[in-house]
Amino acid sequence: AAAAAAAATAAAALQSAIDVGELQGIRDAIAEHAEAAERGQRSAVLQHARRRRDELAEAQRRAAKAQKVARQKEKKEEARAQARAAEAARAESEAAARAAEEARAAEARAAAER
């Protein structure tokens, strides 16, 4: 009778954890229920809790991977933007150098004509 009451309590805790839908809560409830399962008292609630735990863990892994990919994409785009800015600055510097050289050449021609 005590074992049946403990199993019922564990099953209720599992169902409650499933209803809340938090991964860690389900993990904790499964761990508590595992002792009863080791004694051969398996239940549909335990199987459901394990499936839900696995689903939540997989969803958590997918979300973490999506965040990682987004961060990598953002870094690549930032690097491309920096490369474009550096190229624009280099082109501007070269244009300024050419303009300065042309101005010196024009000044030299004007001085030679005097």
Side-chain angles (χ1 to χ4, degrees), residues 27 53-66:
R27 285 179 174 160
R53 172 201 61 197
D54 295 344
E55 291 166 359
L56 289 171
E58 181 59 28
Q60 201 174 59
R61 281 189 291 275
R62 281 193 305 267
K65 184 174 182 176

Side-chain angles (χ1 to χ4, degrees), residues 12-110:
L14 278 171
Q15 189 59 54
S16 176
I18 292 168
D19 293 343
V20 171
E22 291 181 357
L23 181 57
Q24 192 57 49
I26 292 174
R27 285 179 174 160
D28 294 343
I30 288 172
E32 290 175 17
H33 196 321
E35 293 176 18
E38 287 174 5
R39 292 189 300 270
Q41 300 171 0
R42 299 208 179 265
S43 70
V45 177
L46 177 60
Q47 292 173 342
H48 183 215
R50 286 179 172 157
R51 271 193 312 276
R52 187 68 181 130
R53 172 201 61 197
D54 295 344
E55 291 166 359
L56 289 171
E58 181 59 28
Q60 201 174 59
R61 281 189 291 275
R62 281 193 305 267
K65 184 174 182 176
Q67 286 177 343
K68 180 181 177 184
V69 168
R71 281 192 307 271
Q72 288 173 338
K73 188 175 182 179
E74 191 176 290
K75 282 182 180 181
K76 284 181 182 179
E77 185 54 40
E78 187 176 307
R80 286 185 191 118
Q82 288 176 351
R84 285 191 299 269
E87 177 60 25
R90 185 192 60 76
E92 186 177 317
S93 174
E94 286 178 1
R98 279 192 303 272
E101 181 60 32
E102 289 171 7
R104 282 192 294 275
E107 191 177 299
R109 282 192 303 273

